[in-house]
Amino acid sequence: MTAPVLYAVVTGAPPAGDVGRLVALAGADGWGTHLVASPSARPFLDLPRLAAATGHPVRTDYRQPGDPWPLPPPTAVVLAPATGNTLAKWAAGISDTLALGLLVEAVGQGTPVVAAPFSNTAHLAHPAVAEAITRLRSWGVTVLTGPEVCPPHPPGPAAAHAERFGWDAVWAAVTGHPHLAGARAAAPAPDPIPQEQPA
């Protein structure tokens, strides 16, 4: 029996510092987790602690030409916290970071993806971001919004709102995904290898 694999993609917002809660929830259900961070997420993360918790280094960059691919194929992908910037670029198909490259491929391959935005009301009201959420949902991405995950906060400092981020709701959306029934015994999806860093 192959254990299911979660890619936990984190972006630069205060709840990223608590992604260890998602790692713990996944591990309790028998999932292995590989963390992928956008460059702006790194300052929020305790990289050694997270590497110890997952058993794998936190990935932030594309591999170099000739290096082996370091990640197993994912059973599911979580983007949490998802900034408005990442949502807009993802919906546009932009892959200028490893995190975005994996998210773009996940949509193209039909891999189950759950995204949980953490942003302020002004960002989420911008037409490009609102449109991105609508497009992502139309492509099968589960985008969680509402008070059970994390209600949008007013513009300004965001750290005080991070403790309200709903990691339990995020994980429940993964385990309740209709395409993940029997995930513990499912064979991994085909290898989603971004071959080279984009020019």
Side-chain angles (χ1 to χ4, degrees):
M1 182 179 297
T2 302
V5 173
L6 177 70
Y7 286 4
V9 181
V10 292
T11 62
D18 292 324
V19 71
R21 293 171 57 184
L22 178 64
V23 173
L25 290 166
D29 282 343
W31 288 60
T33 301
H34 291 261
L35 283 166
V36 179
S38 71
S40 61
R42 287 180 62 103
F44 294 98
L45 304 178
D46 183 336
L47 299 179
R49 180 178 62 83
L50 291 168
T54 62
H56 312 287
V58 178
R59 309 296 306 187
T60 58
D61 299 310
Y62 279 97
R63 66 188 177 95
Q64 295 300 307
D67 287 349
W69 180 245
L71 299 172
T75 308
V77 178
V78 164
L79 170 62
T83 61
N85 179 59
T86 296
L87 292 167
K89 292 171 77 171
W90 179 19
I94 295 171
S95 298
D96 59 356
T97 65
L98 175 61
L100 279 164
L102 294 174
L103 291 167
V104 169
E105 286 188 342
V107 170
Q109 292 189 323
T111 302
V113 186
V114 172
F118 180 87
S119 194
N120 66 47
T121 51
H123 284 170
L124 292 176
H126 190 284
V129 177
E131 198 174 279
I133 291 173
T134 298
R135 293 177 71 190
L136 290 165
R137 284 175 168 159
S138 75
W139 300 333
V141 176
T142 301
V143 183
L144 302 175
T145 55
E148 72 281 2
V149 183
C150 191
H153 51 272
H161 304 282
E163 64 183 25
R164 297 188 298 156
F165 195 76
W167 292 106
D168 290 335
V170 171
W171 184 242
V174 175
T175 58
H177 195 287
H179 294 161
L180 293 175
R184 290 177 184 273
D191 193 354
I193 301 177
Q195 295 297 323
E196 302 294 342
Q197 185 168 358

